[in-house]
Protein backbone atom coordinates (compact mmCIF):
# COMPACT_ATOMS: atom_id res chain seq x y z
CA UNK A 1 0.00 0.00 0.00
CA UNK A 2 0.98 3.68 -0.01
CA UNK A 3 2.36 3.71 3.54
CA UNK A 4 4.36 0.52 3.01
CA UNK A 5 6.14 1.94 -0.02
CA UNK A 6 7.18 5.08 1.82
CA UNK A 7 8.18 3.13 4.95
CA UNK A 8 10.42 0.87 2.83
CA UNK A 9 12.10 3.86 1.18
CA UNK A 10 12.71 5.53 4.57
CA UNK A 11 14.25 2.37 5.99
CA UNK A 12 16.83 2.26 3.19
CA UNK A 13 17.61 5.96 3.23
CA UNK A 14 20.81 7.37 4.67
CA UNK A 15 20.44 8.40 8.33
CA UNK A 16 19.51 12.03 8.89
CA UNK A 17 19.57 14.22 11.96
CA UNK A 18 16.69 13.51 14.32
CA UNK A 19 16.81 16.94 15.93
CA UNK A 20 14.03 18.75 14.07
CA UNK A 21 14.06 21.90 16.18
CA UNK A 22 17.72 22.88 15.80
CA UNK A 23 18.21 26.04 13.83
CA UNK A 24 20.81 26.00 11.10
CA UNK A 25 24.04 27.76 12.05
CA UNK A 26 24.50 31.06 10.22
CA UNK A 27 26.65 30.72 7.11
CA UNK A 28 29.86 32.69 6.98
CA UNK A 29 30.61 34.62 3.83
CA UNK A 30 33.25 32.76 1.84
CA UNK A 31 35.31 33.80 -1.12
CA UNK A 32 34.11 32.29 -4.37
CA UNK A 33 35.90 29.20 -5.62
CA UNK A 34 37.13 31.17 -8.64
CA UNK A 35 38.67 33.83 -6.38
CA UNK A 36 40.61 31.17 -4.53
CA UNK A 37 41.76 29.55 -7.76
CA UNK A 38 43.00 32.89 -9.11
CA UNK A 39 45.19 33.36 -6.07
CA UNK A 40 46.74 29.91 -6.39
CA UNK A 41 48.53 30.38 -9.72
CA UNK A 42 50.57 32.83 -11.77
CA UNK A 43 48.02 34.43 -14.10
CA UNK A 44 50.62 35.15 -16.78
CA UNK A 45 51.35 31.48 -17.45
CA UNK A 46 49.87 29.71 -20.51
CA UNK A 47 46.56 28.21 -19.48
CA UNK A 48 47.24 24.70 -20.80
CA UNK A 49 50.55 24.60 -18.91
CA UNK A 50 48.59 24.88 -15.68
CA UNK A 51 45.28 23.10 -16.37
CA UNK A 52 44.12 19.80 -17.86
CA UNK A 53 40.91 19.79 -19.94
CA UNK A 54 38.39 16.96 -19.52
CA UNK A 55 34.93 16.48 -21.01
CA UNK A 56 32.60 15.36 -18.23
CA UNK A 57 29.56 13.32 -19.28
CA UNK A 58 26.57 13.23 -16.96
CA UNK A 59 26.34 9.72 -15.53
CA UNK A 60 22.79 10.11 -14.23
CA UNK A 61 20.91 9.12 -17.38
CA UNK A 62 17.24 8.66 -16.50
CA UNK A 63 15.90 6.95 -19.63
CA UNK A 64 14.80 3.45 -18.66
CA UNK A 65 15.69 1.79 -21.96
CA UNK A 66 19.04 3.49 -22.44
CA UNK A 67 20.88 2.91 -19.19
CA UNK A 68 24.31 2.59 -20.77
CA UNK A 69 24.23 5.66 -23.00
CA UNK A 70 26.85 7.54 -20.98
CA UNK A 71 29.18 4.53 -21.26
CA UNK A 72 28.58 4.34 -25.01
CA UNK A 73 29.41 7.97 -25.70
CA UNK A 74 32.50 7.88 -23.46
CA UNK A 75 33.71 4.78 -25.32
CA UNK A 76 33.23 6.36 -28.74
CA UNK A 77 34.98 9.57 -27.69
CA UNK A 78 37.96 7.58 -26.44
CA UNK A 79 38.19 5.85 -29.82
CA UNK A 80 38.45 9.06 -31.84
CA UNK A 81 41.42 9.97 -34.00
CA UNK A 82 42.38 12.70 -31.52
CA UNK A 83 42.89 11.62 -27.92
CA UNK A 84 40.25 13.10 -25.61
CA UNK A 85 40.12 13.11 -21.84
CA UNK A 86 36.58 12.00 -21.00
CA UNK A 87 35.03 11.00 -17.68
CA UNK A 88 31.58 10.24 -16.30
CA UNK A 89 30.29 12.17 -13.30
CA UNK A 90 26.93 13.24 -11.81
CA UNK A 91 26.55 16.75 -13.23
CA UNK A 92 24.11 19.17 -11.58
CA UNK A 93 23.51 21.08 -14.81
CA UNK A 94 23.84 20.04 -18.44
CA UNK A 95 24.76 16.68 -19.96
CA UNK A 96 28.29 17.64 -21.04
CA UNK A 97 30.77 20.09 -19.54
CA UNK A 98 34.38 20.82 -20.46
CA UNK A 99 36.08 21.28 -17.10
CA UNK A 100 39.67 22.44 -16.50
CA UNK A 101 41.42 21.16 -13.38
CA UNK A 102 44.84 22.23 -12.02
CA UNK A 103 47.79 20.06 -12.92
CA UNK A 104 50.27 18.86 -10.30
CA UNK A 105 47.73 18.85 -7.47
CA UNK A 106 46.77 15.78 -5.49
CA UNK A 107 43.65 14.20 -7.02
CA UNK A 108 40.65 12.91 -5.05
CA UNK A 109 37.10 11.84 -5.91
CA UNK A 110 35.51 15.29 -5.92
CA UNK A 111 38.60 17.18 -7.11
CA UNK A 112 36.94 18.18 -10.40
CA UNK A 113 33.94 19.55 -8.51
CA UNK A 114 35.93 21.46 -5.91
CA UNK A 115 38.75 22.77 -8.11
CA UNK A 116 37.27 22.64 -11.60
CA UNK A 117 36.66 25.56 -13.96
CA UNK A 118 34.04 25.31 -16.69
CA UNK A 119 35.46 26.27 -20.08
CA UNK A 120 33.29 26.36 -23.18
CA UNK A 121 29.53 25.98 -23.06
CA UNK A 122 27.15 23.97 -20.89
CA UNK A 123 25.63 21.39 -23.24
CA UNK A 124 22.20 19.80 -22.87
CA UNK A 125 21.34 16.94 -25.23
CA UNK A 126 17.91 15.55 -26.11
CA UNK A 127 16.96 13.02 -28.75
CA UNK A 128 13.96 14.21 -30.78
CA UNK A 129 11.42 12.01 -28.96
CA UNK A 130 12.73 13.11 -25.55
CA UNK A 131 12.60 16.74 -26.64
CA UNK A 132 8.94 16.26 -27.56
CA UNK A 133 8.14 14.57 -24.22
CA UNK A 134 10.03 17.19 -22.21
CA UNK A 135 8.45 20.17 -23.97
CA UNK A 136 4.97 18.68 -23.62
CA UNK A 137 5.60 18.05 -19.92
CA UNK A 138 6.47 21.74 -19.44
CA UNK A 139 7.56 21.67 -15.77
CA UNK A 140 10.80 19.68 -16.19
CA UNK A 141 11.66 21.59 -19.38
CA UNK A 142 11.21 24.92 -17.60
CA UNK A 143 13.47 23.81 -14.75
CA UNK A 144 16.19 22.62 -17.14
CA UNK A 145 16.16 25.73 -19.32
CA UNK A 146 16.09 27.96 -16.22
CA UNK A 147 19.18 26.16 -14.87
CA UNK A 148 20.96 26.55 -18.22
CA UNK A 149 20.04 30.26 -18.30
CA UNK A 150 21.35 30.85 -14.76
CA UNK A 151 24.52 28.78 -14.87
CA UNK A 152 26.73 31.71 -15.92
CA UNK A 153 28.31 30.13 -19.01
CA UNK A 154 26.99 29.94 -22.61
CA UNK A 155 24.38 27.22 -23.11
CA UNK A 156 24.10 24.83 -26.06
CA UNK A 157 21.08 22.63 -26.70
CA UNK A 158 21.68 19.59 -28.92
CA UNK A 159 18.57 18.04 -30.46
CA UNK A 160 19.37 14.64 -31.92
CA UNK A 161 17.24 13.08 -34.64
CA UNK A 162 14.57 14.26 -37.05
CA UNK A 163 11.67 16.06 -35.39
CA UNK A 164 9.62 15.92 -38.58
CA UNK A 165 9.91 12.11 -38.62
CA UNK A 166 8.26 11.76 -35.20
CA UNK A 167 4.88 10.06 -35.08
CA UNK A 168 3.11 13.11 -33.68
CA UNK A 169 0.59 15.58 -35.05
CA UNK A 170 1.65 18.55 -37.17
CA UNK A 171 0.72 21.01 -34.41
CA UNK A 172 3.06 19.27 -31.97
CA UNK A 173 5.85 19.38 -34.56
CA UNK A 174 5.29 23.10 -35.02
CA UNK A 175 5.40 23.57 -31.23
CA UNK A 176 8.84 21.91 -31.17
CA UNK A 177 10.17 24.15 -33.94
CA UNK A 178 8.73 27.17 -32.12
CA UNK A 179 10.43 26.06 -28.90
CA UNK A 180 13.79 25.74 -30.68
CA UNK A 181 13.35 29.30 -31.94
CA UNK A 182 12.49 30.49 -28.41
CA UNK A 183 15.61 28.83 -26.99
CA UNK A 184 17.76 30.72 -29.47
CA UNK A 185 16.04 34.12 -29.62
CA UNK A 186 14.69 34.60 -26.09
CA UNK A 187 17.15 32.59 -24.03
CA UNK A 188 20.25 33.03 -26.19
CA UNK A 189 21.08 29.31 -26.42
CA UNK A 190 22.94 27.78 -29.34
CA UNK A 191 20.62 25.10 -30.76
CA UNK A 192 22.45 22.37 -32.68
CA UNK A 193 20.50 19.89 -34.80
CA UNK A 194 22.26 16.54 -34.81
CA UNK A 195 21.01 13.84 -37.22
CA UNK A 196 22.33 10.91 -35.17
CA UNK A 197 24.12 9.71 -32.04
CA UNK A 198 27.33 9.28 -34.07
CA UNK A 199 27.07 12.86 -35.33
CA UNK A 200 26.73 14.08 -31.74
CA UNK A 201 29.96 12.26 -30.89
CA UNK A 202 31.74 13.95 -33.82
CA UNK A 203 30.29 17.31 -32.74
CA UNK A 204 31.74 16.87 -29.23
CA UNK A 205 35.09 15.86 -30.71
CA UNK A 206 35.08 19.02 -32.83
CA UNK A 207 34.25 21.18 -29.83
CA UNK A 208 37.14 19.62 -27.92
CA UNK A 209 39.61 20.28 -30.74
CA UNK A 210 38.57 23.91 -31.27
CA UNK A 211 38.41 24.60 -27.53
CA UNK A 212 41.95 23.33 -26.99
CA UNK A 213 43.21 25.33 -29.94
CA UNK A 214 41.61 28.47 -28.52
CA UNK A 215 42.93 27.89 -24.98
CA UNK A 216 46.43 27.16 -26.28
CA UNK A 217 46.77 30.85 -27.16
CA UNK A 218 45.59 32.18 -23.79
CA UNK A 219 47.06 32.82 -20.37
CA UNK A 220 45.46 31.81 -17.09
CA UNK A 221 44.25 35.38 -16.56
CA UNK A 222 42.76 35.49 -20.07
CA UNK A 223 40.59 32.46 -19.31
CA UNK A 224 39.68 33.08 -15.68
CA UNK A 225 38.35 36.58 -16.28
CA UNK A 226 35.45 35.07 -18.27
CA UNK A 227 35.19 31.60 -16.70
CA UNK A 228 33.10 30.12 -13.90
CA UNK A 229 34.22 27.64 -11.27
CA UNK A 230 31.95 24.58 -11.22
CA UNK A 231 31.39 24.99 -7.48
CA UNK A 232 30.26 28.60 -8.00
CA UNK A 233 27.83 27.52 -10.73
CA UNK A 234 26.20 25.01 -8.39
CA UNK A 235 25.85 27.61 -5.65
CA UNK A 236 24.35 30.13 -8.10
CA UNK A 237 21.70 27.56 -9.03
CA UNK A 238 20.76 27.08 -5.39
CA UNK A 239 21.42 23.33 -5.54
CA UNK A 240 24.48 23.01 -3.33
CA UNK A 241 23.13 20.25 -1.11
CA UNK A 242 25.60 21.07 1.67
CA UNK A 243 23.74 24.37 2.16
CA UNK A 244 20.22 22.89 2.22
CA UNK A 245 18.16 22.77 5.38
CA UNK A 246 16.52 19.54 6.54
CA UNK A 247 13.24 20.17 4.74
CA UNK A 248 14.98 20.80 1.41
CA UNK A 249 17.10 17.67 1.75
CA UNK A 250 14.06 15.58 2.64
CA UNK A 251 12.18 16.99 -0.36
CA UNK A 252 15.05 16.02 -2.66
CA UNK A 253 14.96 12.49 -1.21
CA UNK A 254 11.21 12.15 -1.78
CA UNK A 255 11.57 13.13 -5.44
CA UNK A 256 13.55 9.91 -5.95
CA UNK A 257 10.89 7.64 -4.42
CA UNK A 258 9.30 5.62 -7.28
CA UNK A 259 5.87 6.89 -8.28
CA UNK A 260 6.07 10.15 -6.35
CA UNK A 261 4.84 13.17 -8.29
CA UNK A 262 6.16 16.68 -7.68
CA UNK A 263 2.82 17.80 -6.22
CA UNK A 264 2.87 14.85 -3.77
CA UNK A 265 6.19 16.06 -2.37
CA UNK A 266 4.75 19.50 -1.63
CA UNK A 267 1.79 17.97 0.25
CA UNK A 268 4.01 15.61 2.27
CA UNK A 269 6.42 18.39 3.25
CA UNK A 270 3.54 20.61 4.36
CA UNK A 271 2.45 17.92 6.84
CA UNK A 272 5.79 16.18 7.60
CA UNK A 273 8.69 18.54 6.81
CA UNK A 274 11.46 16.18 7.95
CA UNK A 275 12.53 12.57 7.56
CA UNK A 276 12.10 11.93 11.28
CA UNK A 277 8.54 13.29 11.50
CA UNK A 278 7.27 11.15 8.62
CA UNK A 279 8.99 8.02 9.91
CA UNK A 280 7.53 8.48 13.39
CA UNK A 281 4.06 8.99 11.93
CA UNK A 282 4.32 5.88 9.76
CA UNK A 283 5.68 3.77 12.62
CA UNK A 284 2.90 4.79 15.00
CA UNK A 285 0.02 4.68 12.48
CA UNK A 286 -2.39 1.79 12.96
CA UNK A 287 -5.58 2.82 11.16
CA UNK A 288 -6.89 0.74 8.28
CA UNK A 289 -6.73 3.67 5.87
CA UNK A 290 -3.13 4.44 4.78
CA UNK A 291 -1.74 7.47 6.60
CA UNK A 292 -0.69 9.25 3.42
CA UNK A 293 -3.85 8.76 1.36
CA UNK A 294 -5.37 12.12 2.28
CA UNK A 295 -2.01 13.84 2.54
CA UNK A 296 -0.97 13.05 -1.04
CA UNK A 297 -4.27 14.26 -2.51
CA UNK A 298 -5.89 16.69 -0.08
CA UNK A 299 -9.70 16.52 -0.06
CA UNK A 300 -9.88 12.98 -1.45
Amino acid sequence: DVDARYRKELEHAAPQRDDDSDEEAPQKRRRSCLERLRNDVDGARPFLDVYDITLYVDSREKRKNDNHEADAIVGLLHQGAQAMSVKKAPLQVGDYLFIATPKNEQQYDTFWRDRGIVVGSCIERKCASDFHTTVKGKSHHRKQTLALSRCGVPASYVIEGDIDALDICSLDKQDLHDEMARLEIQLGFTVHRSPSFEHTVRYLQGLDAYLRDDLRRKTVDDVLKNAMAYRDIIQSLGIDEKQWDLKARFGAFLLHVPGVKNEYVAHILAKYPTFALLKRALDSHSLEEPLLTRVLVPGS
Side-chain angles (χ1 to χ4, degrees):
D1 63 17
V2 175
D3 287 3
R5 187 170 78 249
Y6 279 84
R7 187 178 287 107
K8 181 179 179 181
E9 293 292 335
L10 290 171
E11 288 172 353
H12 290 87
Q16 298 189 21
R17 269 184 4 200
D18 205 38
D19 186 354
D20 304 318
S21 62
D22 282 356
E23 295 183 359
E24 298 289 331
Q27 298 295 323
K28 295 181 179 179
R29 195 249 175 213
R30 297 182 300 173
R31 290 184 303 161
S32 73
C33 182
L34 189 62
E35 287 175 327
R36 296 194 299 274
L37 289 168
R38 279 177 174 161
N39 292 334
D40 291 344
V41 67
D42 179 1
R45 294 185 62 188
F47 185 78
L48 292 183
D49 285 356
V50 181
Y51 287 90
D52 289 319
I53 310 298
T54 299
L55 174 63
Y56 281 83
V57 178
D58 187 16
S59 60
R60 299 184 297 183
E61 185 57 64
K62 295 182 179 179
R63 281 194 290 273
K64 295 180 180 178
N65 298 324
D66 212 3
N67 292 327
H68 303 293
E69 188 169 77
D71 292 327
I73 203 162
V74 168
L76 288 172
L77 289 169
H78 279 148
Q79 296 170 16
Q82 299 294 326
M84 278 185 67
S85 175
V86 188
K87 294 180 181 179
K88 290 190 306 177
L91 301 179
Q92 296 284 5
V93 61
D95 291 319
Y96 310 103
L97 286 174
F98 287 96
I99 296 180
T101 51
K103 296 181 178 181
N104 304 320
E105 289 191 18
Q106 185 174 357
Q107 304 285 311
Y108 51 92
D109 288 345
T110 60
F111 180 72
W112 65 275
R113 194 162 59 214
D114 297 334
R115 301 283 289 165
I117 297 168
V118 176
V119 291
S121 57
C122 178
I123 305 166
E124 181 72 26
R125 168 185 165 268
K126 288 279 187 292
C127 69
S129 58
D130 284 343
F131 184 57
H132 171 244
T133 302
T134 302
V135 171
K136 289 285 285 184
K138 295 183 180 179
S139 177
H140 181 61
H141 184 59
R142 283 197 297 266
K143 290 177 182 177
Q144 280 194 328
T145 53
L146 178 61
L148 290 169
S149 299
R150 294 173 56 188
C151 71
V153 297
S156 294
Y157 207 103
V158 176
I159 300 172
E160 188 177 285
D162 186 0
I163 286 175
D164 293 314
L166 293 175
D167 186 18
I168 57 177
C169 70
S170 58
L171 288 177
D172 279 355
K173 291 178 182 177
Q174 186 58 53
D175 285 344
L176 297 183
H177 286 288
D178 290 346
E179 179 59 17
M180 286 189 289
R182 187 186 77 87
L183 293 177
E184 288 198 309
I185 302 303
Q186 292 189 0
L187 300 185
F189 296 178
T190 296
V191 176
H192 177 76
R193 300 288 300 278
S194 170
S196 67
F197 183 76
E198 291 73 19
H199 178 93
T200 301
V201 171
R202 293 195 295 272
Y203 175 66
L204 292 171
Q205 289 170 334
L207 288 178
D208 180 74
Y210 280 105
L211 179 62
R212 289 176 185 277
D213 185 59
D214 181 57
L215 294 175
R216 194 171 289 115
R217 308 169 194 174
K218 294 183 177 180
T219 66
V220 171
D221 279 345
D222 290 336
V223 176
L224 295 191
K225 67 183 179 183
N226 296 313
M228 287 280 289
Y230 181 78
R231 177 67 69 183
D232 293 338
I233 287 175
I234 300 310
Q235 291 178 349
S236 74
L237 296 175
I239 53 178
D240 183 1
E241 296 183 12
K242 292 181 180 179
Q243 306 299 324
W244 288 359
D245 60 18
L246 289 176
K247 184 175 181 180
R249 294 180 192 181
F250 185 43
F253 161 77
L254 289 173
L255 287 171
H256 289 84
V257 175
V260 177
K261 299 179 182 179
N262 288 355
E263 57 265 32
Y264 289 178
V265 173
H267 297 321
I268 293 172
L269 291 178
K271 182 79 173 178
Y272 306 107
T274 68
F275 177 100
L277 289 175
L278 178 57
K279 190 171 188 306
R280 285 181 205 145
L282 288 170
D283 289 344
S284 62
H285 183 67
S286 60
L287 299 177
E288 291 184 3
E289 182 185 38
L291 172 71
L292 293 174
T293 298
R294 297 187 182 277
V295 174
L296 296 179
V297 186
S300 61

